[in-house]
Amino acid sequence: MVRQEVALLLASAFALVIMSSMASAAVVEHTFNVENVMVRKLCYKRVITAVNGALPGPTIQVTEGDTLVVHVFNKSPYNVTIHWHGVFQLLSGWADGPSYITQCPIRPGHSYTYKFTITNQEGTLWWHAHVSLLRATVYGALVILPKSGHYPFPMPHKQFPIILGEWWNGNVIDIQNQAQQLGTAPNNSNAFTINGRPGDLYPCSKKHTYKLKVVHGKTYMLRIINAALNSQLFFKIAKHKFTVVAVDASYTDPYVTDVVLLAPGQTADVLLITDQIPRAYYMAARPYVSAQNAPPSDNTTTTGILIYDKLPYTSPVMPRLPALNDTPTAYKFSTSLTSLAWSPNWKPVPTKLDEEMLVTIGLSVSPCGPTNACTGVPNNPALRLSATMNNASFLLPKSPSILQAHFFNVKGIYTPDFPDQPPLKFNYTNPANVNSRALSFALQNTRVKQVKYNATVEIVFQDTTVLGAENHPMHLHGYDFHVVGQGFGNFDPVEDRKKFNLFNPVIRNTVGVPAGGWAAIRFQANNPGAWILHCHLDAHLTFGLATVIIVENGPTPSSMLPPPPPDLPQC
């Protein structure tokens, strides 16, 4: 009898757990109206494309396990798609969003509904346009709350998204079109922003500076997102320190620092203790400029104000920010982060490898075109700037998308022959490479890497000094990955492997490859689909610094990508 009662109690408890789990999963629905709106910034009025008339767009908040449904109505004059940056899209790859990779764009006057379930993820991600330069103004935060209701650290008093962005006084589509015609990079931005606002140091901006009001003695979580197009950013708050507890929606060992570095696409959850003398303090962000032989960049600083206890303020304290080219500080931050082993959704590092790749990345040149009116390469109007991975400059197809071509076995859209090793071996980080014409040319093609379902993959990204070294943030759609190692110079497959962290390396979806150096990542290819791997500097993606990893279906229905939804946009 006792056994029967125990069994009944266990069965009831199990049923309650199942019912609670089912009850906690909800359908979260949003409507995005993508449309042109008039705004005033930096003393100018201009039209931008935005979601629901706001910059940034709406913050989406879900709980792990929820299904997200977003109805996108394109009321703008431009093609648009929305990418859910960092979301795995497990068996929902059709909803990933990059144009001509998983879908054709949503044309003006048309609509599309994205629907997918958030699985095995919690933390801070974000969403943005994945067509042309529209993500300069079409973006917002995506916050995934833990299903358990608990974090692996004390619950903060309040949480705030801090989205760093970039602002142009001109129309970004016109700026991109001009850059493409001239074969050069787009013009530098005119300002950086915090939650859409430039801040005190820019003209006509003081009244609209972002202000964060806090109470003394509390702990706050800042969900920091770098939504800038082409700039890595240092972020500080005067007199305060942060404890980094997560990056890219993966928990980290608590790391105390007074500066955060984020590449475009990266996020960081930090705890901020308001333990200073009650007054006003500037929060500020300025770029980290790693590029060599590059034209001057936007070296301005965006500010917000942290205000204690609703006090009036006159002169906020300004933090001392790192120098623009402070590579030691940038490298220290990136390499000091480790994952919080055994935390929710943590996974061990793959040790047995099925695929090993060495991929060179960097800028290159290609023929200008029939007009020979390019200005991207000084004193040579026949050449335009380009970018390569293993000497391949990626060319987007026009119809159908790569995922459609893969799913329906359409020939002639891509070739599955992206090389596992650089076709040309050379001293990748020799400064003299900038003068080598033989190394600087790359042809455009649509070459992809195809891997078996469940294969374990290692990719070592090797920066090159062809046209100058630069820190490249590499983003893989559909996956997180372990950053098992990074360093400067040429990757040494014997000596550098000895230094790999195979216990608790940081887990990310976007990694900054050090300028003139390398970064090694590992992941298990257990999500079938077509996943773009690209530099998240928008100019370099436009130049062709990308490829696609096609993960084949698994052996069971639960490991196979279902057919595309019937309303998927067509080219």
Side-chain angles (χ1 to χ4, degrees), residues 31-249:
T31 296
F32 280 12
N33 291 303
V34 183
E35 54 196 339
N36 283 2
V37 296
M38 179 73 73
V39 297
R40 181 179 179 88
K41 289 188 191 299
L42 306 187
C43 312
Y44 294 95
K45 282 186 177 180
R46 82 165 180 88
V47 173
I48 66 168
T49 305
V51 172
N52 297 349
L55 178 69
T59 293
I60 292 178
Q61 183 169 292
V62 295
T63 299
E64 193 271 317
D66 286 351
T67 295
L68 182 59
V69 178
V70 183
H71 309 284
V72 178
F73 294 88
N74 186 7
K75 301 177 182 179
S76 81
Y78 311 113
N79 287 342
V80 72
T81 66
I82 302 295
H83 169 51
W84 315 94
H85 187 110
V87 174
F88 294 154
Q89 300 291 359
L90 289 170
L91 301 182
S92 57
W94 302 104
D96 191 41
S99 57
Y100 303 109
I101 304 299
T102 62
Q103 69 170 95
C104 295
I106 307 168
R107 291 172 290 172
H110 290 71
S111 64
Y112 179 59
T113 295
Y114 292 91
K115 182 178 181 179
F116 52 90
T117 299
I118 307 292
T119 306
N120 298 329
Q121 291 185 277
E122 54 189 71
T124 303
L125 297 173
W126 63 300
W127 57 265
H128 61 81
H130 214 293
V131 174
S132 63
L133 297 188
L134 280 184
R135 76 174 175 92
T137 52
V138 178
Y139 62 82
L142 173 55
V143 175
I144 307 171
L145 301 176
K147 185 186 298 185
S148 66
H150 301 286
Y151 301 112
F153 47 82
M155 182 68 72
H157 176 61
K158 288 185 178 179
Q159 307 177 29
F160 299 97
I162 302 292
I163 308 181
L164 311 178
E166 234 171 331
W167 175 265
W168 279 261
N169 285 334
N171 181 295
V172 292
I173 301 300
D174 293 342
I175 289 169
Q176 182 183 36
N177 289 339
Q178 181 186 42
Q180 289 178 333
Q181 290 171 4
L182 298 176
T184 187
N187 295 338
N188 289 330
S189 57
N190 297 100
F192 298 105
T193 58
I194 295 177
N195 287 347
R197 304 181 181 195
D200 282 12
L201 304 185
Y202 294 100
C204 304
S205 301
K206 187 165 186 175
K207 288 194 303 183
H208 306 290
T209 298
Y210 173 72
K211 299 177 181 66
L212 178 60
K213 295 182 179 179
V214 297
V215 176
H216 186 269
K218 301 291 186 179
T219 298
Y220 295 83
M221 182 194 288
L222 305 184
R223 298 179 178 271
I224 311 171
I225 300 166
N226 186 354
L229 264 66
N230 295 312
S231 297
Q232 303 190 64
L233 294 167
F234 291 116
F235 177 81
K236 295 186 75 170
I237 297 180
K239 304 291 185 180
H240 290 75
K241 290 189 175 182
F242 308 117
T243 300
V244 181
V245 291
V247 293
D248 294 2

